[in-house]
């Protein structure tokens, strides 16, 4: 069975116009060409699609059932052609993006919306991971782009463009002992349990770790839940608190007295120089660069 897109278009048009001659006029063909196309389709399918005993052909029950599927099939065939053309122009078959867990509350979806508008046929996968794991996903080739905090030490393999500044704050539940203090000393931070977002790899030391006693989790939602229950203090994005009034009611931003930790970080769009990036990845990188001009 070898059914062409052209045959399906002719069949669909005949069903809509209920006439071979009307379909021919609509398609810019001679009636005999339409009649021949339908006859060949019937041979290929081994089905009678039209009863030709009357003045105008009457669709059979088989034709009516097939007609319901034809429009969607033609749409899918056009999408397939568009996707093939996009791939031939350098568009990747899929784009994997990893977002650091503490940044999941930010407007990273704005960038995905841009991709969908520019490349509607692109398949996009979005993952979340702690900072250290996000880095590794890039270098292992499992992700092409990452939204991450700035790193204290840059890898020679990585390249990035700055997007925005993000402020982090030390917080504890309002019922926590440290929340009762006007100011919190470094000694108090160190001796109280910290809830820290960290890699699942226990060998990797968390970057924002201050306390000698700490519990780990791989995402900020779990960290936030534990902090709210008074299980420890932690570091969360200020914007996350501002966007969720319920958090402000349950958490207190700690006033640190002895030192001022670096809690202001740039958010970067990061990629590996070793990965061969496709058209969509380059589009997003260039968009981020243009925003800085």
């Amino acid at each position: 069975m070898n059914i062409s897109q052209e045959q399906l278009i002719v069949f669909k048009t005949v069903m809509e116009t209920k006439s071979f001659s009307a379909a021919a006029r609509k398609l810019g063909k001679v009636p005999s060409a339409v009649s021949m196309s339908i006859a060949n389709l019937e041979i290929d399918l081994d089905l009678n699609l039209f009863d030709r005993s009357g003045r105008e052909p009457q669709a059979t029950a088989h034709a009516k059932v097939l007609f319901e599927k034809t429009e969607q099939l033609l749409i899918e065939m056009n999408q397939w052609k568009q996707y093939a053309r996009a791939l031939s122009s350098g568009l990747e078959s899929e784009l994997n993006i990893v977002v650091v867990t503490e940044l999941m509350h930010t407007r990273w979806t704005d960038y995905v919306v841009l991709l969908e508008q520019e490349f509607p046929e692109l398949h996009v996968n979005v993952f979340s991971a702690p900072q250290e794991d996000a880095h590794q996903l890039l270098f292992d080739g499992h992700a092409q782009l990452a939204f991450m905090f700035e790193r204290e030490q840059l890898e020679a393999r990585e390249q990035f463009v700055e997007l925005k500044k993000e402020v982090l704050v030390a917080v504890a539940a309002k019922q926590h002992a440290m929340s009762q203090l006007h100011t919190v000393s470094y000694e108090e931070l160190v001796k109280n349990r910290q809830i820290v977002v960290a890699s699942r790899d226990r060998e990797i030391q968390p970057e924002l770790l201050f306390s000698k006693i700490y519990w780990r989790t791989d995402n900020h939602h779990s960290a936030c839940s534990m902090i709210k229950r008074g299980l420890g203090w932690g570091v969360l994005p200020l914007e996350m608190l501002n966007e969720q009034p319920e958090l402000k009611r349950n958490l207190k931003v700690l006033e640190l007295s002895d030192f001022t930790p670096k809690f202001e970080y740039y958010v970067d769009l990061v990629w590996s120089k070793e990965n061969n990036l496709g058209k969509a990845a380059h589009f997003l990188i260039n968009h981020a660069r243009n925003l800085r001009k």
Side-chain angles (χ1 to χ4, degrees), residues 64-287:
K64 292 175 183 177
V65 171
L66 289 174
F67 177 60
E68 294 177 1
K69 308 289 185 182
T70 302
E71 187 165 12
Q72 184 58 39
L73 181 57
L74 285 169
I75 290 172
E76 290 175 0
M77 292 176 76
N78 283 327
Q79 289 175 338
W80 188 90
K81 286 183 176 181
Q82 290 172 9
Y83 190 43
R85 283 196 292 268
L87 291 175
S88 69
S89 70
L91 182 69
E92 49 269 69
S93 58
E94 64 177 17
L95 181 62
N96 296 325
I97 301 172
V98 58
V99 183
V100 169
T101 52
E102 293 93 333
L103 297 175
M104 290 301 292
H105 69 284
T106 64
R107 295 177 61 90
W108 58 268
T109 51
D110 289 351
Y111 295 90
V112 179
V113 169
L114 282 175
L115 286 174
E116 195 278 333
Q117 292 172 345
E118 188 72 17
F119 309 104
E121 62 279 359
L122 176 67
H123 187 80
V124 177
N125 301 307
V126 179
F127 311 99
S128 67
Q131 176 96 347
E132 300 85 358
D133 292 349
H135 227 180
Q136 198 58 48
L137 285 168
L138 277 182
F139 297 140
D140 289 345
H142 297 308
Q144 288 75 52
L145 298 172
F147 291 95
M148 302 175 61
F149 288 115
E150 60 181 285
R151 282 73 57 220
E152 290 186 0
Q153 291 186 331
L154 295 179
E155 289 256 8
R157 295 177 288 175
E158 74 176 86
Q159 198 164 341
F160 69 95
V161 56
E162 291 177 348
L163 301 177
K164 57 172 288 189
K165 187 176 285 188
E166 182 81 12
V167 177
L168 305 177
V169 289
V171 296
K174 288 193 173 177
Q175 70 270 23
H176 193 281
M178 286 202 301
S179 294
Q180 315 311 313
L181 303 174
H182 180 65
T183 58
V184 177
S185 66
Y186 180 72
E187 182 183 7
E188 287 289 340
L189 283 183
V190 170
K191 73 180 185 181
N192 278 277
R193 182 191 299 125
Q194 181 179 354
I195 308 298
V196 61
V197 178
S199 170
R200 298 176 187 179
D201 185 349
R202 297 293 298 275
E203 299 300 316
I204 299 177
Q205 184 78 354
E207 187 173 335
L208 293 177
L209 177 62
F210 298 92
S211 178
K212 293 180 180 178
I213 312 162
Y214 61 96
W215 288 358
R216 304 168 69 117
T217 177
D218 66 354
N219 66 85
H220 74 283
H221 290 297
S222 297
C224 187
S225 295
M226 287 190 282
I227 294 168
K228 282 166 57 180
R229 293 301 300 268
L231 296 173
W233 69 276
V235 177
L236 295 177
L238 179 60
E239 188 175 334
M240 180 180 169
L241 271 66
N242 291 335
E243 290 181 353
Q244 301 182 43
E246 179 264 342
L247 290 182
K248 281 192 169 182
R249 290 194 294 269
N250 290 277
L251 300 178
K252 179 184 178 183
V253 176
L254 302 177
E255 188 69 36
L256 307 180
S257 60
D258 291 348
F259 77 122
T260 305
K262 185 188 176 186
F263 279 171
E264 284 192 357
Y265 289 85
Y266 276 101
V267 177
D268 297 336
L269 178 63
V270 188
W271 63 97
S272 170
K273 297 176 184 176
E274 297 176 349
N275 290 343
N276 291 321
L277 301 181
K279 191 173 182 180
H282 282 296
F283 166 81
L284 213 57
I285 291 167
N286 290 331
H287 172 76

